[in-house]
Amino acid sequence: MSFTSPDLAKQTALSMPRMGTYLIACSNKPSPLSAAIHLYAWNAAISAAFIHPLHFCEVVVRNAVSEALTATYGAHWPWSQGFFLSLPDPAGSAFKPRQALLAARQKAEQSAGGNPPSTDKAIAEMSFAFWESMFTARYDHGLWDNHIKRLFPHAPAALPYHKLRAEIRNALEATRKFRNRIAHHEPIFARQLAQDYARIHRVVRYRCDQTAAWMSQTQTVNTVLATKP
């Protein structure tokens, strides 16, 4: 992507304060402002490219969690009192899993219009943070010890279930924070973006190698990475 004039960055549509990080990164270029504008456009392009693998990652993970919960609490697990009580309700925490589940249930019930609410609808209402929270150590016994090897069959076979659970949890935390930067239009150009993609790919591959291959065939991250200014 190119611009006809670097003076475009001076307009309020972008603003000079927003360009500050990019100007610093391009301060050694012959034309820092022009280079910063091109870097800004590339940052937007690579952010857009990452939406594709992030989509795959969240969907395959939440489906895996749903399968584990269905096997443990039944097909209507979002309304299981046993599952609800298994969730933490931490005081002072910005994310409260019980409240997140209650909100998802309420939205599913409202959309059902008096009919039995849909588990699929409740799943769609839950955030990435909720699925990440299901991989904390509190669920090692009774959930992941019984199901993680079955649901992530392409993970290293020698890896103990609790270490696999911890690896997935750490990967999801890093991926969530990365996704939040993209969602808030923050600079990501200085990151090790190939490693960010590899982390996402690894989680998807642990779940399903065919889906990971499909994701790889259709993603544009690597193509855009190769055009970094």
Side-chain angles (χ1 to χ4, degrees), residues 12 47 49 66 70 92 125 136 155 169 180 200-201 212 219 221:
T12 57
S47 296
S66 180
T70 296
E125 295 293 344
T136 54
R169 194 261 184 214
N180 286 349
I200 294 168
H201 183 271
Q219 56 82 28
V221 169

Side-chain angles (χ1 to χ4, degrees), residues 149-179:
K149 290 288 190 173
R150 174 177 63 84
L151 294 173
F152 294 89
H154 301 288
L159 198 63
Y161 76 87
H162 61 281
K163 290 188 177 181
L164 174 57
R165 187 272 312 154
E167 180 185 337
I168 294 173
R169 194 261 184 214
N170 291 337
L172 293 180
E173 180 182 26
T175 298
R176 174 180 55 81
K177 291 178 178 179
F178 176 52
R179 190 186 73 162

Side-chain angles (χ1 to χ4, degrees), residues 97-109:
R98 287 191 182 183
Q99 291 185 9
L101 178 62
L102 288 173
R105 281 168 26 173
Q106 184 179 32
K107 290 180 179 178
E109 290 161 2

Side-chain angles (χ1 to χ4, degrees), residues 57-70 120 123 131 151 207:
C57 183
E58 180 168 2
V59 171
V60 301
V61 166
R62 76 186 192 187
N63 287 345
V65 174
S66 180
E67 283 193 40
L69 294 175
T70 296
D120 287 342
I123 289 171
W131 307 115
L151 294 173
R207 169 70 167 152

